Amino acid sequence: MKNGSIITIESLIKSFPIGGGEFTALNGINLTFAKGEFSGIVGPSGSGKTTLLNILGSLDSPTKGHTNVLGTASDQMNPRVSAMLRKKHIGFIFQTYNLMPVYTVFENVEFPLLLLKTPAAERKKAVLEALEWVGISDKVKSKPPQLSGGESQRVAIARAMVKKPDLVLADEPTANLDAENSHHILQTMENLNKELQTTFVFATHDEKVIGYLRRIITLEDGKVVSDKNIKK
Amino acid sequence: MIALKLAYKNLVGAGLRTLLIVFVLSLAYVLIIYMNGLYQGWDRQARIETIAWEVAEGQYWQTEYDPYDAMTLTDAHAPVPAELEASVSEGKAVPILITQATIYPEGRMMGALLKGIDTRQKLLSIPTDLLDPDSDEITAIVGTRLAKAAGLEIGDKLLIRWRDVNGTFDATDLKIAEIFKTAVPAVDQGQVWIPLSTLQEITGMSGEASLVVVDKSPGEGTSISGWEFKGHDFLFKALEEMIKSKTVGGSVFYLIILALALLAIFDTQVLSIFRRQREIGTYIAMGMTRKQVVGIFTVEGGMHAILAVVLGALYGFPLLLWTTKTGIKMPEGTDDFGMAAAEHMYPYYSLALIIGTIILVMIATTIVSYMPSRKISKMNPNDAIRGKII
């Protein structure tokens, strides 16, 4: 892994079988991400953003090439190792929130800590703290169907952040939100990034998100066409 | 623990659907326990009655004696063995002499077994004290089944014909001293009981018997010269086989109920896996392995069985307890099939039956829950997260 970086991607190719042939979603990607980055992979639909994010999150594996995420190389990955990596070090934020409908807000946020077998007292403290970060402490006992889109996504952020992961991967986190909620969510994530030094990687084509990013990686047809750092 | 907690929450969240499945499954529990309890109760009751009325703790059979072959009765008699004489005089053993006979009730002719029994015996429940060996006329007692078939009442005279030890026919009138009611057809149907001494005298088989009922088992297969001991294992074989065949027949009924409940669980699991793809994908994204997720869904399905135990206990316990108190009225004529059957059958629910049923249903439910859950292990988590799996 290169100095200071927590993610290294070298000559990454990812292809999927389609019909009798193959579709190459990512074609020769080389990237590194440093700790504390607030970066985004942008590009049109089908450019490979989500596929790249999935590989970073060890939900998928490269067809060719090499990745190293938080010290775990792609050739070391197996279902158990990748599950452990996600459980301990990676938080996910989804476009559709993916909250468990039968759990309360508290229980949804508590879930990653349950998987980590965190003691109950610590769990409670961490959950309440995470809910405070995202400003939704008054909805502790509510269930997802009772929440608005913006509230649901804030719960999802709290769930991703509660274990204080090294890396948060957010796939189109504002796609289902109005402008006001989108800005609120993005400000929350920006604050958490600054406060906790958590690395955020977004996959998005939403201009509102792009406006907050400090690094923009543009993908087109599975290739990096630009990689810009934005001074803020 | 996580799997249990999640499973419980998901089941509660599913509301009415869970309640319906749990109810059908609880019906399976209660019906399996009830049906088997009925057969166990029948078995138990039949044993108790048969021991009381017919076999006590076992019987020594004269080696020629075969209750299923009437032709053997001609030779199936011998002097009561010396080894049993002391027990007989102490009332711990009861010799019974059996011979073929023909009775002529109301001018009709019926085959019968003429049985001689010690009138002082207390080992069997047959009311032999109502027989009078010293009377001028031969007194006899019969069961209600024979009395009904032959149209007999107490005080009636019954013409009977038999053959003595030399094969010579003889006949006389018997006086019906008592008609007794018993749940054991083997001491009733076609049987006429008279004092042992009288039968020995009229057949010329003095001091002889065909079998000796004893109050203590010397062990299966024990023999005294010319006599072989038959214990409960042997004597109840036919009864057990009949109950076993009835149990198998009854099983079909509750297996249908169980199959319906399992089908509902299978269906729910399949539906759940498709409906909850996002949830499955999210579990995996948060660091669960596919195996763990399969575990959650399996536990969730299996938990129906646990909730069904609770629900089944709520209504089943008082219901089953009530049946043990009031019994089940048996249809008229059930005992005519030749099995000991009282008017009311009292189910017997053993702990082994209850625990065995719970384990059986839980295993079946868990297997049925696991089968569709295996599909999760082949799911692509990326598609699952987006709910894109068809």
Side-chain angles (χ1 to χ4, degrees):
Chain A
M1 205 146 60
K2 289 178 183 171
N3 278 349
S5 61
I6 60 164
I7 300 170
T8 315
I9 301 168
E10 289 166 355
S11 312
L12 172 66
I13 295 173
K14 179 69 187 177
S15 47
F16 299 100
I18 287 187
E22 248 185 9
F23 168 72
T24 304
L26 296 172
N27 195 356
I29 306 285
N30 292 291
L31 286 169
T32 58
F33 293 87
K35 183 172 170 58
E37 275 195 15
F38 200 73
S39 52
I41 303 157
V42 302
S45 291
S47 59
K49 306 185 294 287
T50 300
T51 305
L52 181 55
L53 213 63
N54 289 336
I55 290 173
L56 295 182
S58 72
L59 288 170
D60 213 340
S61 53
T63 307
K64 280 182 189 165
H66 179 80
T67 64
N68 190 311
V69 179
L70 299 162
T72 308
S74 51
D75 50 12
Q76 296 172 328
M77 289 284 186
N78 60 43
R80 189 182 286 269
V81 171
S82 63
M84 192 59 77
L85 181 68
R86 291 191 297 271
K87 185 159 72 178
K88 285 188 174 171
H89 304 290
I90 303 175
F92 285 87
I93 299 168
F94 307 103
Q95 177 183 338
T96 46
Y97 328 129
N98 291 28
L99 301 177
M100 312 297 176
V102 295
Y103 302 163
T104 62
V105 164
F106 185 94
E107 288 164 341
N108 265 286
V109 178
E110 185 188 27
F111 191 82
L113 300 177
L114 280 174
L115 293 181
L116 288 167
K117 297 186 174 131
T118 309
E122 277 180 49
R123 258 188 350 245
K124 188 177 177 187
K125 195 179 160 205
V127 171
L128 294 176
E129 190 182 21
L131 289 172
E132 209 178 306
W133 291 336
V134 296
I136 201 164
S137 301
D138 56 329
K139 301 278 183 183
V140 167
K141 289 182 181 167
S142 303
K143 289 194 174 175
Q146 299 165 315
L147 303 176
S148 67
E151 287 169 335
S152 294
Q153 196 59 300
R154 280 191 272 164
V155 175
I157 294 168
R159 183 178 65 183
M161 292 302 298
V162 71
K163 61 187 174 189
K164 295 182 180 165
D166 298 302
L167 173 66
V168 170
L169 301 170
D171 190 5
E172 306 279 12
T174 55
N176 289 341
L177 301 179
D178 57 30
E180 191 188 337
N181 269 309
S182 297
H183 285 296
H184 189 97
I185 294 292
L186 289 161
Q187 278 161 10
T188 304
M189 289 196 270
E190 194 177 40
N191 291 341
L192 288 168
N193 163 257
K194 285 176 182 165
E195 199 176 318
L196 302 172
Q197 278 299 293
T198 305
T199 307
F200 277 77
V201 180
F202 294 81
T204 186
H205 56 260
D206 183 347
E207 289 299 329
K208 296 188 287 295
V209 179
I210 294 167
Y212 281 83
L213 298 175
R214 296 199 294 273
R215 180 184 175 195
I216 300 170
I217 300 154
T218 308
L219 284 187
E220 261 180 41
D221 298 328
K223 290 180 179 172
V224 176
V225 292
S226 75
D227 184 353
K228 291 180 196 160
N229 285 308
I230 313 292
K231 290 213 169 172
K232 301 245 171 184
Chain B
M1 274 309 286
I2 290 180
L4 278 176
K5 195 178 170 186
L6 297 181
Y8 175 75
K9 278 184 174 296
N10 287 327
L11 288 189
V12 171
L16 187 63
R17 195 174 62 241
T18 302
L19 189 66
L20 283 173
I21 293 170
V22 166
F23 177 69
V24 177
L25 205 53
S26 74
L27 265 185
Y29 276 124
V30 173
L31 279 173
I32 291 172
I33 292 170
Y34 170 71
M35 299 289 278
N36 280 304
L38 199 61
Y39 292 125
Q40 279 193 5
W42 190 355
D43 184 22
R44 201 163 170 256
Q45 218 170 319
R47 275 175 174 269
I48 291 168
E49 295 285 331
T50 306
I51 287 168
W53 285 84
E54 189 189 1
V55 302
E57 291 306 311
Q59 297 176 337
Y60 278 97
W61 287 5
Q62 201 276 337
T63 44
E64 296 296 324
Y65 177 64
D66 179 358
Y68 300 109
D69 183 1
M71 303 302 284
T72 62
L73 292 175
T74 315
D75 300 319
H77 54 88
V80 174
E83 292 90 331
L84 295 175
E85 273 175 4
S87 299
V88 171
S89 57
E90 287 167 20
K92 293 176 179 172
V94 179
I96 294 173
L97 179 63
I98 307 169
T99 186
Q100 275 186 285
T102 309
I103 56 173
Y104 297 89
E106 297 168 344
R108 290 178 292 140
M109 188 173 76
M110 287 173 73
L113 287 178
L114 191 55
K115 289 188 170 180
I117 186 167
D118 189 342
T119 56
R120 294 160 302 172
Q121 70 82 27
K122 301 283 178 208
L123 193 54
L124 301 176
S125 300
I126 301 166
T128 50
D129 54 338
L130 295 168
L131 294 169
D132 183 0
D134 302 323
S135 169
D136 290 340
E137 15 179 34
I138 300 175
T139 52
I141 54 174
V142 294
T144 49
R145 294 173 185 81
L146 178 62
K148 190 180 167 193
L152 295 172
E153 287 179 12
I154 295 172
D156 280 357
K157 300 275 185 179
L158 176 66
L159 178 63
I160 188 161
R161 190 182 69 152
W162 71 94
R163 291 210 299 183
D164 69 11
V165 71
N166 300 313
T168 309
F169 282 104
D170 202 350
T172 190
D173 275 335
L174 303 177
K175 185 185 175 191
I176 303 300
E178 175 68 354
I179 295 170
F180 61 86
K181 186 163 179 54
T182 174
V184 184
V187 296
D188 177 342
Q189 276 172 338
Q191 321 239 341
V192 179
W193 295 84
I194 64 172
L196 176 63
S197 55
T198 307
L199 185 59
Q200 286 171 335
E201 190 187 329
I202 63 176
T203 54
M205 299 177 192
S206 182
E208 295 192 5
S210 302
L211 58 92
V212 181
V213 184
V214 293
D215 74 340
K216 198 179 276 180
S217 167
E220 195 77 54
T222 308
S223 61
I224 299 171
S225 176
W227 298 77
E228 196 175 333
F229 182 76
K230 306 289 183 186
H232 285 178
D233 287 352
F234 177 85
L235 295 169
F236 287 117
K237 211 171 177 181
L239 172 76
E240 275 169 6
E241 272 170 16
M242 196 179 282
I243 286 173
K244 204 181 279 175
S245 72
K246 293 263 178 210
T247 310
V248 170
S251 307
V252 174
F253 177 61
Y254 62 71
L255 279 177
I256 291 171
I257 298 283
L258 184 59
L260 279 175
L262 294 180
L263 191 68
I265 290 170
F266 185 86
D267 200 34
T268 303
Q269 287 290 91
V270 172
L271 187 72
S272 265
I273 288 159
F274 282 103
R275 218 170 40 88
R276 291 162 59 191
Q277 293 168 44
R278 278 208 176 97
E279 188 180 328
I280 293 166
T282 309
Y283 285 142
I284 294 170
M286 283 197 283
M288 294 185 89
T289 60
R290 285 180 175 86
K291 270 187 187 170
Q292 284 176 310
V293 181
V294 169
I296 287 180
F297 276 76
T298 306
V299 169
E300 204 171 300
M303 203 172 243
H304 285 104
I306 296 170
L307 294 177
V309 170
V310 177
L311 182 64
L314 279 178
Y315 71 86
F317 183 74
L319 195 71
L320 297 179
L321 196 66
W322 177 71
T323 60
T324 60
K325 296 261 188 271
T326 58
I328 310 295
K329 185 156 175 38
M330 298 303 283
E332 287 287 329
T334 305
D335 52 4
D336 292 338
F337 290 120
M339 271 184 78
E343 281 179 353
H344 282 80
M345 195 62 68
Y346 293 92
Y348 175 68
Y349 309 111
S350 64
L351 194 63
L353 169 64
I354 294 168
I355 292 173
T357 306
I358 290 173
I359 291 171
L360 167 82
V361 177
M362 279 191 176
I363 291 173
T365 310
T366 308
I367 291 170
V368 164
S369 304
Y370 171 70
M371 278 154 48
S373 306
R374 282 179 310 169
K375 201 169 178 61
I376 293 168
S377 60
K378 291 171 190 155
M379 260 186 194
N380 178 342
N382 306 314
D383 292 339
I385 286 165
R386 285 167 194 78
K388 278 185 179 173
I389 297 166
I390 300 163

